[in-house]
Amino acid sequence: MSDYALEIRNLSHRFGDYPVLDRINLKIWPGQIVAIVGPSGCGKSTLLKAILGTHPPSEGEILADGEPVTGPTRNVGIVYQQYSLYDFLTAEGNVAFGLKLDQSSFFSRLVLFPKYLKQREQHLAQARDFLKQVGLDHACGKYPVEMSGGMKQRVAVAQALIMRPKVVLLDEPFGALDEAMREDLQYMLLRFYQENLQRKREGKRPEYTILMVTHELNEAIFVADRVIGMSRFHTEGNRGATVVYDKPCPVFHPNDPRDYSKFVDQREELRHAVFDDEYIKDRNKYVTFWNELSRLAEGQSLPPENPS
Ligand SMILES: Nc1ncnc2c1ncn2[C@@H]1O[C@H](COP(=O)(O)OP(=O)(O)O)[C@@H](O)[C@H]1O
Ligand SMILES: [Mg+2]
């Protein structure tokens, strides 16, 4: 097992002659919930597809839990803005579906039918566990037509989690939802974070490592413990977008009041450092995550190592 859930080394990507991503370096350790923000079209989805393994980068290397990503693997899962559930399956059927695909061919189902039935029961039981994780224990038997957008998006999250990926990618996952549902799902992420902390306290590896693209700065700071900004507004921007902002951000407990005024300063800094096309800066000016951690680490139990 690697120290890092995800490691990106010198990743660049171009479409034809057009450079999109320029030398991206990133290390994320297990249990982090990282938000990625950046101007529309700067290459956020391109980066996620590279990490997913479906669209390899032009250059560079990606490691998920220490293993090179050379194609789609179980180590990385993704949830898109638009859930895509099977209408003919219940919530639990949808969540269990990936497990079935993974483990039983048609032939083996035929020959090992009794075993398959037993396994199927296990899969459905697991699916119910994961639906509980996303707050849908009451809706296991519902079909997609009977669910709201927010519920369907939770099913999609459970579908990704049940494969136990080392990293879950969320690409604007709540963008299609109305405000109340969006907030509900944000609390779900805060609860995952608390579970991560609990597992760390027990000396176990945290289960949820999440990399989430969002265009909502409040959402980014509220749900994540680290915010990354990508843009081309840096001195080498003609070579593509890169990480121009990387800092820790305040951690909220699900029971804390949602107080946006607490992070006004960081929000304004992000707006300036990542979205202001008049402000061209050195690409490393706001990339201070590891430095800030070493300062925070005095007196706290953060990872001992401090790679730059
Ligand atoms: N398959 C593709 N072929 C050519 N250009 C693409 C392709 N996919 C994305 N692009 C371009 O790459 C840039 C980054 O796109 P994308 O990663 O979707 O941005 P974001 O998710 O940050 O909005 C955009 O200029 C987009 O037009
Ligand atoms: Mg996108």
Side-chain angles (χ1 to χ4, degrees):
M1 246 182 218
S2 165
D3 284 349
Y4 298 104
L6 179 70
E7 196 174 345
I8 297 176
R9 296 181 184 156
N10 265 319
L11 182 152
S12 299
H13 193 69
R14 49 178 64 242
F15 288 111
D17 284 342
Y18 181 65
V20 176
L21 300 174
D22 180 37
R23 290 166 292 165
I24 293 194
N25 286 288
L26 213 50
K27 287 174 179 171
I28 292 172
W29 68 71
Q32 283 200 301
I33 297 192
V34 180
I36 300 188
V37 299
S40 175
C42 76
K44 303 180 294 297
S45 295
T46 302
L47 177 63
L48 291 201
K49 287 177 195 162
I51 299 169
L52 187 63
T54 53
H55 298 67
S58 314
E59 279 168 48
E61 205 181 1
I62 299 165
L63 305 173
D65 196 27
E67 289 174 29
V69 174
T70 51
T73 87
R74 285 189 70 146
N75 280 345
V76 186
I78 193 163
V79 178
Y80 298 101
Q81 184 175 103
Q82 278 304 344
Y83 37 78
S84 49
L85 305 183
Y86 293 105
D87 287 330
F88 57 90
L89 292 176
T90 59
E92 63 182 43
N94 266 290
V95 174
F97 192 71
L99 289 175
K100 284 183 205 163
L101 272 188
D102 203 49
Q103 289 176 14
S104 51
S105 68
F106 180 72
F107 181 73
S108 69
R109 276 182 226 179
L110 218 59
V111 176
L112 305 167
F113 194 67
K115 185 164 172 260
Y116 165 69
L117 280 183
K118 192 167 162 231
Q119 201 183 42
R120 188 167 175 276
E121 264 321 301
Q122 285 169 0
H123 287 171
L124 289 174
Q126 264 187 62
R128 285 190 290 273
D129 279 350
F130 278 88
L131 284 165
K132 193 169 170 203
Q133 283 300 95
V134 298
L136 282 183
D137 24 351
H138 61 288
C140 294
K142 281 202 188 326
Y143 286 89
V145 289
E146 303 172 286
M147 292 187 267
S148 68
M151 290 166 79
K152 285 189 268 196
Q153 198 59 326
R154 281 165 194 262
V155 175
V157 172
Q159 242 174 5
L161 294 181
I162 201 169
M163 305 307 287
R164 300 189 178 278
K166 296 297 181 338
V167 185
V168 181
L169 310 174
L170 306 178
D171 197 351
E172 311 231 12
F174 314 143
L177 304 178
D178 65 42
E179 195 54 29
M181 281 180 188
R182 194 181 179 115
E183 290 186 357
D184 252 23
L185 282 147
Q186 290 169 357
Y187 282 110
M188 176 184 77
L189 294 183
L190 294 186
R191 282 193 299 275
F192 286 170
Y193 193 78
Q194 289 303 315
E195 280 185 44
N196 283 343
L197 293 181
Q198 181 57 35
R199 283 184 66 91
K200 272 193 232 173
R201 281 193 288 270
E202 293 165 1
K204 298 180 191 149
R205 188 177 170 103
E207 288 208 86
Y208 306 109
T209 306
I210 295 176
L211 192 58
M212 172 175 80
V213 169
T214 172
H215 59 259
E216 245 290 319
L217 298 187
N218 283 327
E219 177 169 278
I221 302 174
F222 185 62
V223 306
D225 63 331
R226 173 178 178 188
V227 182
I228 285 173
M230 281 170 58
S231 86
R232 305 179 79 96
F233 310 139
H234 57 91
T235 47
E236 295 161 88
N238 59 339
R239 298 179 58 161
T242 197
V243 172
V244 295
Y245 186 101
D246 186 357
K247 291 194 183 191
C249 60
V251 169
F252 286 79
H253 188 274
N255 299 332
D256 288 346
R258 176 187 289 263
D259 183 1
Y260 290 136
S261 67
K262 278 193 181 161
F263 46 80
V264 166
D265 292 346
Q266 188 163 23
R267 197 175 60 217
E268 288 320 302
E269 183 182 65
L270 264 174
R271 225 186 275 289
H272 186 53
V274 183
F275 293 86
D276 183 355
D277 58 358
E278 313 251 284
Y279 176 51
I280 305 298
K281 69 262 150 207
D282 178 281
R283 53 196 278 156
N284 291 318
K285 178 162 181 197
Y286 293 96
V287 180
T288 59
F289 181 79
W290 298 102
N291 304 341
E292 294 195 28
L293 267 194
S294 58
R295 254 180 279 141
L296 282 171
E298 288 163 21
Q300 286 184 29
S301 57
L302 284 163
E305 202 193 354
N306 181 23
S308 54

